[in-house]
């Protein structure tokens, strides 16, 4: 349902399809508009039907296997997001450097150099191809990758310190790159941290409960606190064109820092990635917690962390 909602959001606001609610609005769409609205409705119905079919056709599959499959889906999205911000960050920083040093026109030509100064050109023709490359890498790589993002943030910040105090050189794109990767690090790593039970847990009574009771509490918390939060972010952030996620993405919003990086609109998209990956991982948490409540065999041994 979460993926269907995001796809439907893309169809509505990027491709200008009528949407599900067009079927009950006045005047109702006709012709091609009606067909498109029915297809969007079928997308949500299909997400439910596929889940039911999968469960009924695999009666011997236990909850823990489903939980691990959901976690694998969240991890794939995180890998894809990591490689995306890595490639987009590096390429966009290079372009910003060429522009601020007046090298873009000389190396790329005046026409292309001018176009690269427009976010509506740089987004579809520079950033979008990087997404395709990132998708291929994520499909072939099994490493999450965001662990390295922490090192890249440190190196980017170190570069600012060295260039500022050694060479007396600093440009807006350097700080933009740090913020871009820093925001991605914390929002993308949240789902994996939840899988490893690494988030801070305010514990008053929980540690003294039995494993069965812990499973029940985790399942209830994941449903009424975790999933509710994720859907709140997705609904409020992507309900219409002026929502806090859709608006910057549709406008290819950039910062006002002159020759800085053109990635501000991607940082709004980070919230959508955070909400979707956490939604999938909270669903995995629900399944695993119910398995613990039912005391099914094969429970994961999670090493205690300092944060917990």
């Amino acid at each position: 349902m979460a993926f269907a909602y995001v796809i439907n959001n893309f169809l509505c606001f990027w491709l200008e399809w009528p949407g599900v609610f067009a079927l009950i609005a006045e005047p109702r769409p006709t012709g091609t508009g009606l067909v498109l609205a029915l297809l969007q409705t079928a997308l949500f119905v299909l997400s439910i039907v596929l889940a039911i079919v999968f469960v009924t056709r695999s009666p011997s599959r236990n909850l823990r296997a489903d939980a691990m499959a959901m976690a694998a889906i969240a991890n794939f999205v995180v890998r894809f997001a990591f490689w995306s911000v890595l490639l987009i960050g590096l390429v966009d920083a290079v372009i910003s450097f060429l522009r601020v040093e007046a090298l873009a026109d000389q190396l790329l030509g005046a026409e292309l150099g001018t176009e690269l100064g427009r976010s509506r050109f740089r987004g579809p023709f520079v950033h979008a191809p990087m997404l395709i490359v990132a998708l291929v890498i994520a499909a072939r790589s099994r490493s999450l990758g965001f662990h390295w993002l922490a090192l890249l943030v440190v190196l980017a910040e170190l570069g600012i310190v060295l260039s500022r105090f050694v060479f007396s050189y600093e440009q807006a794109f350097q700080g933009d790159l740090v913020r871009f990767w820093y925001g991605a690090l914390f929002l993308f790593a949240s789902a994996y941290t939840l899988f490893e039970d690494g988030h801070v847990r305010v514990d008053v009574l929980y540690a003294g409960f039995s494993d069965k009771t812990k499973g029940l509490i985790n399942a209830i918390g994941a449903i009424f606190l975790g999933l509710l939060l994720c859907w709140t972010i997705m609904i409020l952030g992507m309900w219409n064109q002026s929502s806090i996620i859709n608006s910057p993405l549709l406008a290819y919003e950039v910062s006002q820092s002159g020759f800085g990086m053109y990635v501000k609109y991607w940082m709004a998209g980070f919230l959508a990635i955070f909400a979707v990956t956490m939604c999938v991982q909270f669903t995995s948490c629900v399944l695993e917690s119910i398995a613990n409540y039912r005391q099914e065999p094969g429970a994961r041994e999670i090493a205690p962390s300092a944060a917990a």
Side-chain angles (χ1 to χ4, degrees):
M1 287 292 288
F3 287 115
Y5 181 81
V6 173
I7 294 172
N8 181 70
N9 180 76
F10 174 80
L11 296 175
C12 285
F13 302 115
W14 272 265
L15 301 185
E16 298 183 347
W17 286 28
V20 174
F21 291 107
L23 296 175
I24 58 175
E26 293 293 342
R28 295 181 181 178
T30 58
T32 303
L34 178 60
V35 173
L36 295 179
L38 289 173
L39 287 175
Q40 289 177 272
T41 304
L43 182 64
F44 289 98
V45 175
L46 185 63
S47 67
I48 298 174
V49 172
L50 287 177
I52 295 174
V53 170
F54 176 78
V55 172
T56 55
R57 291 179 64 89
S58 55
S60 60
R61 185 182 176 92
N62 60 29
L63 291 175
R64 297 196 189 280
D66 288 342
M68 293 303 295
M70 298 293 284
I73 294 173
N75 288 343
F76 174 78
V77 177
V78 169
R79 287 200 308 272
F80 170 53
F82 161 74
W83 286 108
S84 298
V85 298
L86 173 62
L87 297 175
I88 290 174
L90 292 175
V91 171
D92 204 276
V94 170
I95 293 174
S96 298
F97 171 77
L98 294 177
R99 292 188 65 241
V100 76
E101 297 299 334
L103 298 174
D105 291 352
Q106 300 177 30
L107 297 177
L108 305 174
E111 182 177 355
L112 182 56
T114 301
E115 290 293 338
L116 288 174
R118 299 188 176 99
S119 61
R120 290 190 175 274
F121 177 87
R122 200 186 296 191
F125 295 102
V126 177
H127 296 168
M130 295 299 100
L131 294 179
I132 298 175
V133 175
L135 183 62
V136 173
I137 296 175
R140 297 179 61 87
S141 172
R142 291 296 178 265
S143 173
L144 283 179
F146 65 79
H147 301 88
W148 295 100
L149 200 54
L151 176 60
L152 291 174
V153 171
V154 173
L155 293 177
E157 189 64 48
L158 179 62
I160 293 177
V161 173
L162 293 177
S163 64
R164 177 190 298 174
F165 294 105
V166 177
F167 302 102
S168 298
Y169 179 89
E170 183 179 7
Q171 298 294 343
F173 71 84
Q174 294 176 283
D176 290 344
L177 182 61
V178 172
R179 287 186 290 271
F180 184 59
W181 282 344
Y182 188 79
L185 172 64
F186 281 89
L187 290 176
F188 296 169
S190 293
Y192 178 77
T193 308
L194 177 62
F195 176 75
E196 295 292 339
D197 197 23
H199 286 284
V200 174
R201 183 189 295 272
V202 179
D203 182 12
V204 179
L205 303 173
Y206 181 84
F209 292 153
S210 64
D211 291 340
K212 183 176 181 178
T213 305
K214 288 180 179 179
L216 179 63
I217 291 175
N218 287 334
I220 294 174
I223 293 173
F224 292 102
L225 298 178
L227 288 172
L228 183 61
L229 171 65
C230 295
W231 276 103
T232 299
I233 294 173
M234 286 190 286
I235 291 174
L236 294 181
M238 296 186 284
W239 188 255
N240 53 43
Q241 289 184 333
S242 60
S243 298
I244 58 174
I245 295 176
N246 281 342
S247 178
L249 289 172
L250 290 168
Y252 293 101
E253 184 177 339
V254 298
S255 63
Q256 302 300 315
S257 55
F259 290 95
M261 293 175 61
Y262 286 8
V263 294
K264 184 177 180 180
Y265 70 98
W266 282 118
M267 298 179 76
F270 288 176
L271 290 175
I273 297 173
F274 166 80
V276 170
T277 54
M278 288 294 281
C279 183
V280 176
Q281 190 56 59
F282 271 123
T283 305
S284 172
C285 182
V286 170
L287 298 177
E288 186 174 25
S289 298
I290 294 176
N292 292 338
Y293 175 75
R294 294 168 57 177
Q295 297 182 319
E296 294 183 358
R300 286 191 302 129
E301 293 292 335
I302 301 176
S305 63

